[in-house]
Amino acid sequence: MNPADNPTPPRRKRPGLPFLAVVLLALLAAPRVVLHDLGIIQEGTLVNAVFVFVPPLVWIAVVLWRRVPNPFLTLLVVGVVYGLFLMVGHQILWTTAWDGDPPTLGGNLSELPPVAHAMVTRGFAALSSVVTGTLVGAVCGLLAWGASRVIHRRRRAPSA
């Protein structure tokens, strides 16, 4: 049979959760960005650790609870959305986070106009935010995928 004759198009992979749920999960991690950039919480504190680790643990718990078909893809998408929120938060709070003294380029690039410094440093910060969010999502997705395999294998195992 010719694939062009098939009336049903191939299914695209979907995140496994409604888009609103993906956005809400990503938003769970957003308060840390604001609190950190405003200097309200500091690295290395218990409060910071709660804001760092609890949202991704909730992400994993939700995909396990909902038994999404592809936990890795689902949390990768959550991570990308989180990275976008991270990027926006850092850009909005840029001046405050740097206490009015943002980073500048050094070496041969130190002579560039201030707007070039801002474009380059903010651009790399924006890219870094999206990459960070994506990596967090990927790690959480791998953990959730592994946990779902163990949980579902245990449920399928015949009882003695």
Side-chain angles (χ1 to χ4, degrees):
M1 177 178 207
N2 184 352
D5 296 336
N6 188 355
T8 57
R11 280 186 71 196
R12 290 187 301 166
K13 293 198 179 229
R14 297 176 188 252
L17 290 173
F19 184 69
L20 180 60
V22 168
V23 170
L24 291 175
L25 286 174
L27 278 172
L28 286 175
R32 187 201 169 273
V33 177
V34 175
L35 296 173
H36 179 265
D37 283 1
L38 292 176
I40 296 171
I41 60 174
Q42 308 302 321
E43 299 283 333
T45 64
L46 178 61
V47 173
N48 184 64
V50 167
F51 279 96
V52 167
F53 294 109
V54 169
L57 290 173
V58 170
W59 298 356
I60 293 168
V62 167
V63 298
L64 293 175
W65 175 59
R66 293 289 306 266
R67 296 181 70 157
V68 299
N70 189 339
F72 177 78
L73 176 64
T74 302
L75 293 184
L76 183 66
V77 172
V78 171
V80 169
V81 174
Y82 164 58
L84 294 171
F85 287 138
L86 187 62
M87 176 186 70
V88 169
H90 283 317
Q91 295 301 313
I92 290 172
L93 297 169
W94 184 267
T95 304
T96 304
W98 291 104
D99 202 22
D101 188 25
T104 56
L105 303 171
N108 293 339
L109 302 176
S110 62
E111 300 300 319
L112 291 174
V115 70
H117 287 269
M119 288 176 60
V120 171
T121 56
R122 282 178 171 250
F124 275 100
L127 179 63
S128 172
S129 295
V130 175
V131 169
T132 297
T134 303
L135 289 174
V136 169
V139 169
C140 290
L142 283 172
L143 292 172
W145 174 80
S148 73
R149 302 277 297 186
V150 169
I151 291 168
H152 295 130
R153 182 178 302 141
R154 201 172 277 158
R155 287 186 183 158
R156 281 183 268 158
S159 56

